[in-house]
Amino acid sequence: MTPRNIEAIFRLTPLQEGLLYHTLDTARPGAYFDQFGAQLEGDINIDALREAWNGAVEEHAILRTFFTWEKRDHPLQVVRNQVELPFDIDDARSLSAATQQTTIAAYTKRDREAGFVLDQAPLMRLKFWRLADNRYYMLLSFSHLILDGWSMRLVLANVQARYTARVQGQNFIATDAPTFEQFVNWQRQQNTTRATAFWRDYLAGFSMPSSPRLKQDGTAIDLPAQQTAYELSSEKVERLQSFARRSRVTLNTLFVAAWALVLERYTDRQDVVFGTTSAGRPPELAGIDRTAGLFISTVPTRVRLSGRVDALLDTIQREQVAQREHDHVGLSAIQKASDVPAGLPLFETLLVFENFPSFDAGDQRLTFDEQLFEEYSHYPLALLIVPGPTMSLIAVHDQSVFSAQAITDMLAAVDAALAELIGAEQVRDIDVLRDAGTDLSQALGASTDVPAHTVLEEIRQHVAHTPERTAIAVGEETVSYAKMWRLAEEVAVDITQNHPGACACVIVCERNHWAIVAQLAALMAGKVYVTLDAKDPLSRIEFVMADLSAGREALSGDAGPLLLTTSTRDAANDDVERLYVDRSTSPAPAAISTSLPRDTAYVIYTSGSTGQPKGVRVSHGNLVNSTLARGHYYSAAPEAFALLSSLATDSSIAGIYWTLCTGGKLVLPADRAELDVTSLIRVFTTEAVTHTLCVPSLYALMLDELEQTACRSLRAVIVAGEACPQPLVKRHAALLPGVALHNEYGPSESCVWVTAAQLRAENAVSIGKPIVNTVALVVDRHDRLVPRGVPGELVVGGANVALGYLNRVNDTDSRFVHRESPLAGRYYRTGDRVAMRLDGDIVFLGRTDHQLKVRGFRVEPGEVEAALCELVDIDAAVVVIEESDVGGALAELVESVNDTHADFVAHALAEIEQLEDDEVASALHQLMQKDFE
C-alpha cells in the first residue's frame, strides 16, 4: 500500500489510549482481543456474504483503522481508504460433529493467542467452517480498540442488510452517520476542568482500591483469562424487574448495589469503588447511534454502604446519571484527581451491564445464531451482565488471581445479594443484609453423639481388660493401668473423706506419675483440678491461688483450693491446705463421680500474654468430646505417647487423655527435657514412642538431631501452639517420609483443638478443617460470615467450647457469644485472623489485635509476613511499623540467623527507607495482595 492509501489521521480517545497500553502489555496476553462466534443456517451465498462484509468495511471507517505510537508524543489512529478483510473458509462437512467442535475450539484458541499487529489494518478477521450443506460456523475476531459490543452488533446488522439486498437483487443504500473522527473531535472539545472537579469531589476520601483479597490455593500464572457463567432463572429476573419498577430504579442500579455488597464482603470495607461502563454516545451528535467505533466509557463507581436500602438505590441511580455528564475524561485523569496513591489501581473489578439495543432489520435472509462472545480486559475480574428472559452473569477472570471455584462462589454471592436487596422491602436497613451467599458446608465438622459419661469410663475399660499394661513411664519407673487406677482411688477417697465438700478445687503442681494420678483422683472425687508448673514465677502462682480462692463458689466449694503434692517444699504458700498423695493408703475403692457434662472438669490458665492470666473452665463434656474426636481423626491410637509439654498447658490434655483412653503408654520425659534434645531423642528410642505433640520450634530442633538418629517407632508427629512454617514441613518429609505430620489448632477455650490438618510438603500449610462436633466460622468485624478465601476472625462453636472464664464475667460475655444465625449456638471468638481456602482448609494469618496502620491504611502484618516468607531464603518474618524522618513506614524483617538473609534484610531496609509515603503504602499493599499458597 502507498502513503496515498490514507483517509484520516487523528488522536485516540482516552479509553483507546488506555486499551492500547494494556493490549501492548505482554504480561496480559489476549487482553482486549474479542471473538464472536455464530452459526449461519440456510442456503448461504458465500459471494454475497463476502461482498456484504467488504461493504460494511467500506462504510465504517473504524474497520479500516490501525494505530501508530512509536517515536510519537502521543499515539494516533490511521484510517486506510481500502483494506483487504481476511475471509477464510474451510470445508468441514466430512468431519464428525465432535471433531468439528474440537477443530473450531482449537482454532479459536490459536487465533486468540496470535492476537493482532496493531499497526496494521484491518484489526478484524473472519473464519468460516462449512459444517453441512446448509450450515456454517463463523468466527469474527477483532480488537476491542476499534469496536465495542454495541458497534459489533451494528456491523452485524449492516452485513445482514447488505446480504439481504444482494440476494434479493436490490441496491443497498447506506444511511448518513457521523464519523468516529467527529466523535473524537467532539470529545476533545468538552470541558475537562469541570469534569475533573466532579471526579475529585466524587472520590474525595477514598484512598485504597477495593480489591478482593482471596487466600487461594496456588494457581499457575501463565494461564489465560477464563470465563465463568452463572444463570439467573426467568422467575428471578421477573422478580428483579418487578422490584425495580416498584422502586423506580433500573436493573443496572440493582446490580451495582449487589456488586457493592459482594465487594464489601470480600474486602471488609463499606466504602467500595469499582469500574462501570456506559454507552458513551453523545446525543448532541445526531445519528451517532449508527456509527461504529469504541464509544463506551469506563469510569469509577463509588458506593458507600450504609443507611436504608431505598436511599442507597436512589443515590446509586442519581450518581450514575451524573457520571454520564463527565465520562469523557480518561481514567488516568480521574486517577490523578483521586486520593489513591500513585502506583495503586483506582479499582480492580469491572461491572458491565450489556444493555445493547436491538437492530431491527426486518425480513432478513441471513441470521447469526450466537454461540460465542468472549472479551477479555486487563482487570483481574470483570463481571458482565447479559439481560434477557434468563439473565446471564459472566465473570471474566484472571486464573492466576481467581480460581473457577472462587468465581463461582462470588457469582452465587451476587445472586444472594440480589435476593437480599429485593427482599428488603420490610427490613430496609443495609446493615441487616447479612451472610449473603456464604457456603457453610465446610464450616461443620462431622456430627456424632457426645457421650454422657466422662473420660474415666473410657480409662476404666482398659484398667479392666489390660490391667498390667504400662500406663505411665517416667524414666526407669513404670506404672501399670491397675496400679494407676488403685492409687487414684486411694487419693480420691482421701479427698472425699478427709476434705468433704471443703475445697473448691484441687491443685497439681508436679511432673511425675503422681501428677497424673492426682488428676484422675480429682475427677473421681467430683472435684475440679488445676495443674500448675512449679517452675513458673512466684507472682503467677500466687495470682492463680488467689484467683481460685475468689472463685470457689463458682467451683462449688466453700473453702480455698487443696494442693495435691508429694513434697513439703512445693511452690505454694504455706497457708494453702495440702494433701500428700504419696501417703494415701485408703483400702476403700472410690465411687467414680457422677459428674454431668456441664460440670467443670478442670481449670487451665492462659499464658497471660495480653494481661493477667485467665482461668478457663473446661467441662467434662468438652473433655470427653475433645478426647474421643481423636479416634475419628487419627487412623491409629498412640501405643506410646511422649508428653513434651508442661502439665500446666492445654496441649498436655491431648496426650494424657488420648493415650489413657485408648490403652497406650504415656511417656513423661524429665522436666525441661527440651533443653537437651539429644537425651530427649534417646527417650523416644528407648520407649519406642509412636506419637508426640510439641510446638514447631521444638520439633525443628528435634529434626536436627534426627538427621543422625533414626526414631524407627515414630508414626505421627503433631505440631501445635505456634504457626508451622512450610520449610519445617519439607524437612520433616525429607527426613521422616513414613511419619505423618499433623497440625492442630485450638485455644484453651476450646479444649485443646477444634481443627486439624495433615501437612504434606507439596501443599500449603493450613490448620485444617473442623473436627467432630465442632463448627469453625470466619467472620468480619460486623460479625458477618465472610466468603471462602477472605480473611476474617475465626469463631468456633460446638462441643469443645469451654464454659467461660473464672471470675471474669465481662471477658466471658465478650468472648463467649451466642449466634442466632446461621448455625445458631454458643461460640468462642478466638481473636485469630484466618481465611478458609476453597478446599475448606483454614489458613492461620495472625492476630486480629495486631493490626497496624500506615498513614491511615489498614495493614495486616500477618498477611505481609506470610507473603515475605514466600520469598526465597526467608524462613520467618516479623513486620513492625516505625516512624521515619519523612513520616513514612518501614517494614523490618526479622528472621533466622543466616548471612544470605542478613544481606537481603539490609538491602530491603535500605530500599524501603528511600521510598516516599505513598510508595510505602503501595509496596505494602502489593505484598498484602500477593496470592501466596
Side-chain angles (χ1 to χ4, degrees), residues 357-378:
S358 60
F359 298 101
D360 185 8
D363 181 20
Q364 297 295 341
R365 300 297 179 86
L366 178 70
T367 58
F368 299 105
D369 180 14
E370 182 174 336
Q371 305 289 314
L372 169 78
F373 182 44
E374 293 190 347
E375 52 183 342
Y376 300 99
S377 70
H378 73 281

Side-chain angles (χ1 to χ4, degrees), residues 286-339:
I288 196 67
D289 58 327
R290 298 189 299 273
T291 303
L294 180 64
F295 291 94
I296 60 170
S297 58
T298 300
V299 295
T301 290
R302 183 180 188 179
V303 180
R304 281 165 275 206
L305 292 157
S306 61
R308 294 165 57 87
V309 173
D310 53 358
L312 172 72
L313 296 176
D314 179 69
T315 299
I316 290 174
Q317 182 143 310
R318 181 165 31 83
E319 291 181 343
Q320 292 267 296
V321 172
Q323 288 176 12
R324 296 191 189 108
E325 298 181 19
H326 309 286
D327 60 9
H328 56 274
V329 179
L331 269 179
S332 60
I334 297 175
Q335 168 104 27
K336 291 177 182 177
S338 75
D339 295 330

Side-chain angles (χ1 to χ4, degrees), residues 520-542:
L520 298 180
L523 297 180
M524 288 179 179
K527 297 296 182 182
V528 177
Y529 77 81
V530 180
T531 304
L532 300 181
D533 191 329
K535 299 292 193 301
D536 279 345
L538 181 59
S539 59
R540 176 183 173 89
I541 294 176
E542 290 177 344

